[in-house]
Amino acid sequence: PTGMKPDQGYAETGAWEPTPEAATEVTGDATYTYTFGTKQKFDITINYKDGANPEAEPLKEAYTDTQEYGYPYSFDVSNDSTGTIPKIIEKDGKQYVFDRFADNTPLSGQLKSAVTITAEYLLDETGPDGEPDGVPDKYQATVTYKIVNGTWDGDKDTADKTHLFTLREFDADSNTWVNVETTPTLGETVPTGMKPDQGYAETGAWE
């Protein structure tokens, strides 16, 4: 026989055992078996990119694995820094936080073709205490209060006052950043008790 085709998941090349030849003499019962014995193999690749600059050098070396057809795989964003898709990556002294997956590749399933997953991260430099806080800076807003021709307390304090507000939070079920449940307000961050410099009227105004 010729023209044999493999079952799904097996390589195109099979082999006879034993090998029948056209000139093989038939002297009794014989069985020749053609077997597609090698399963196809496919690569699993996970890339880690700076979402603000996808063409830049990757934030860490890509994860790669090669498995046979039908291999069950499953990945998720992990709070463990050693996880396959860590929520936080440190590079060159800076912290990057997972933002999103750049494609719609399923994170789990059975391997039937090559799988490439691209995880994008965003810079996290600023938190309430001036340090990274696990939230991408993109999803936070800084409100700055300034004073002109006066002081905050009638003494010498004229430095700008800043307050950080978080606008989105991470939803672990969907691996996305969603709007916080309640939109933040300025609330008690608005300064009071400001005093004018000498020679200025007591009444000022916000602008």
Side-chain angles (χ1 to χ4, degrees), residues 92-105:
D92 298 334
K94 293 183 178 181
Q95 178 166 296
Y96 295 82
V97 178
F98 173 83
D99 179 32
R100 69 185 188 106
F101 290 107
D103 41 49
N104 294 318
T105 303

Side-chain angles (χ1 to χ4, degrees), residues 2-207:
T2 59
M4 295 78 83
K5 300 295 182 184
D7 287 340
Q8 190 174 27
Y10 285 85
E12 290 288 332
T13 303
W16 285 106
E17 181 58 43
T19 303
E21 303 287 351
T24 300
E25 294 182 351
V26 179
T27 58
D29 293 343
T31 299
Y32 299 92
T33 303
Y34 192 84
T35 303
F36 291 97
T38 304
K39 275 195 170 184
Q40 290 176 295
K41 291 188 175 183
F42 299 103
D43 291 334
I44 301 172
T45 304
I46 301 177
N47 298 308
Y48 311 91
K49 297 199 171 188
D50 180 350
N53 188 8
E55 301 304 318
E57 179 183 344
L59 296 178
K60 66 177 293 187
E61 183 178 353
Y63 166 91
T64 58
D65 190 17
T66 302
Q67 296 290 345
E68 290 184 343
Y69 178 93
Y71 171 79
Y73 68 91
S74 180
F75 301 101
D76 204 354
V77 178
S78 173
N79 287 322
D80 185 346
S81 61
T82 63
T84 305
I85 307 177
K87 187 176 181 182
I88 293 175
I89 292 177
E90 300 279 350
K91 179 178 172 59
D92 298 334
K94 293 183 178 181
Q95 178 166 296
Y96 295 82
V97 178
F98 173 83
D99 179 32
R100 69 185 188 106
F101 290 107
D103 41 49
N104 294 318
T105 303
L107 297 181
S108 62
Q110 287 191 323
L111 196 61
K112 297 182 179 180
S113 61
V115 170
T116 299
I117 297 170
T118 299
E120 291 190 349
Y121 293 73
L122 293 174
L123 189 63
D124 172 26
E125 290 185 303
T126 305
D129 299 321
E131 299 292 334
D133 61 349
V135 178
D137 295 343
K138 177 180 178 179
Y139 300 135
Q140 294 177 309
T142 299
V143 172
T144 302
Y145 298 106
K146 294 176 175 290
I147 191 163
V148 178
N149 299 325
T151 60
W152 296 115
D153 56 4
D155 193 5
K156 297 180 179 179
D157 185 8
T158 60
D160 293 349
K161 294 182 179 295
T162 61
H163 293 273
L164 189 70
F165 295 86
T166 297
L167 307 180
R168 294 193 185 187
E169 58 189 1
F170 188 68
D171 176 24
D173 292 331
S174 63
N175 287 323
T176 59
W177 289 87
V178 298
N179 291 334
V180 295
E181 187 173 346
T182 302
T183 302
T185 61
L186 296 180
E188 294 181 357
T189 69
V190 180
T192 60
M194 294 78 80
K195 302 297 182 182
D197 286 341
Q198 190 174 19
Y200 285 87
E202 287 289 330
T203 303
W206 286 108
E207 177 61 36

